[in-house]
Amino acid sequence: MVFVRLHMTPSPLSFETSMPARDALEEFRRRRIRHAPVLERGALLGIVTERDLVRVLPGTVADYEGAQGLRASRTTVAMAMTKNPICVSPNDHIDDVARLLRDKKISAVPVVSDSKLVGILTSSDLFDAFEAMFSGQPGKRFTLLRPPGANYNPGFDLVRCAVDLGIELHSLVRAGHSRGGEVLTVYVEGDVDRLEEFRTRAEDNGYVLLEKDDRRLKRPA
């Protein structure tokens, strides 16, 4: 399984709500990052981006030195941040987080465990994770439809099938619904003939193959 904890940035740079926005912007540019969690006495309150900070600050050096300079000095990170950000767990699967970022139209999420900030995961981290996944060992991705009701064998288990065939099942992700059934995306690695046997057994037990993708899978750490 490919978990968030394997690809997040642990102990990320964070800002206090009271930090001047222009100081935070300078820190962003110095470190060449674009997102940071916002804390207040250790508690996660929000997330802020470079764009958020630019939006609330004057646009030129002259502005800083002129009439708007005082306003800029009083503008804090709290005034720019997005409050109550969507968070994920270190044990969430990156496929699920990728869909979350797409659906919510966001590019980063804080990672929280036991109500404490432990990391941040960005769209760039996800891209790197998927690139690594598809760059090593021979493998396949099957997208399968599990039909509703009695249209498939409920006693058939995909995980047990992979074990019986001696192939490695990297992940099994619920990818939504179609035709009244559940869509599953399965990443498997092993002998090519056994991978095809895995697909055949799934179809023989009622699963419908929606898509097959031959890739070069790299075993996750």
Side-chain angles (χ1 to χ4, degrees):
M1 301 289 282
V2 187
F3 297 108
V4 166
R5 65 175 181 267
L6 301 176
H7 299 283
M8 70 182 188
T9 299
S11 304
L13 171 72
S14 61
F15 300 134
E16 286 289 322
T17 53
S18 59
M19 184 177 187
R22 61 184 179 186
D23 291 349
L25 182 59
E26 289 173 3
E27 192 69 10
F28 267 142
R29 291 175 174 173
R30 185 177 71 83
R31 298 196 181 211
R32 297 183 179 180
I33 59 175
R34 294 182 296 130
H35 315 83
V38 182
L39 309 179
E40 186 168 275
R41 293 189 293 274
L44 178 67
L45 290 190
I47 188 169
V48 70
T49 69
E50 182 179 14
R51 181 177 296 179
D52 294 333
L53 296 170
V54 170
R55 175 176 51 81
V56 299
L57 287 170
T60 66
V61 172
D63 289 333
Y64 279 107
E65 296 175 347
Q68 297 190 63
L70 181 60
R71 180 176 68 83
S73 68
R74 293 175 176 173
T75 302
T76 64
V77 168
M79 298 175 184
M81 72 180 186
T82 297
K83 299 178 181 179
N84 302 315
I86 297 169
C87 299
V88 299
S89 162
N91 296 320
D92 285 340
H93 196 281
I94 61 168
D95 282 28
D96 297 327
V97 178
R99 280 192 293 274
L100 176 68
L101 265 61
R102 178 199 63 195
D103 293 345
K104 298 298 183 180
K105 295 181 173 58
I106 55 178
S107 54
V109 283
V111 184
V112 174
S113 179
D114 296 327
S115 301
K116 294 183 179 180
L117 177 72
V118 295
I120 189 170
L121 188 76
T122 70
S123 54
S124 295
D125 295 329
L126 289 171
F127 179 83
D128 291 343
F130 286 121
E131 183 179 45
M133 185 186 298
F134 297 118
S135 62
Q137 302 296 324
K140 292 181 184 290
R141 182 186 69 183
F142 297 115
T143 302
L144 302 168
L145 173 68
R146 182 165 61 193
N151 295 324
Y152 82 104
N153 176 11
F156 176 75
D157 183 79
L158 291 169
V159 176
R160 173 52 57 186
C161 179
V163 171
D164 290 345
L165 288 170
I167 61 177
E168 184 168 349
L169 192 152
H170 283 295
S171 67
L172 191 159
V173 180
R174 292 178 175 84
H177 293 81
S178 177
R179 307 178 200 171
E182 186 174 33
V183 178
L184 305 171
T185 299
V186 184
Y187 299 96
V188 284
E189 173 191 313
D191 177 80
V192 173
D193 291 337
R194 293 188 179 188
L195 296 180
E196 284 302 314
E197 177 63 20
F198 174 83
R199 175 189 60 79
T200 299
R201 291 189 185 185
E203 290 182 311
D204 288 346
N205 282 275
Y207 284 83
V208 178
L209 179 67
L210 299 180
E211 183 181 14
K212 180 177 72 171
D213 195 359
D214 297 323
R215 300 282 184 111
R216 301 289 297 179
L217 290 175
K218 180 178 180 181
R219 181 180 288 112

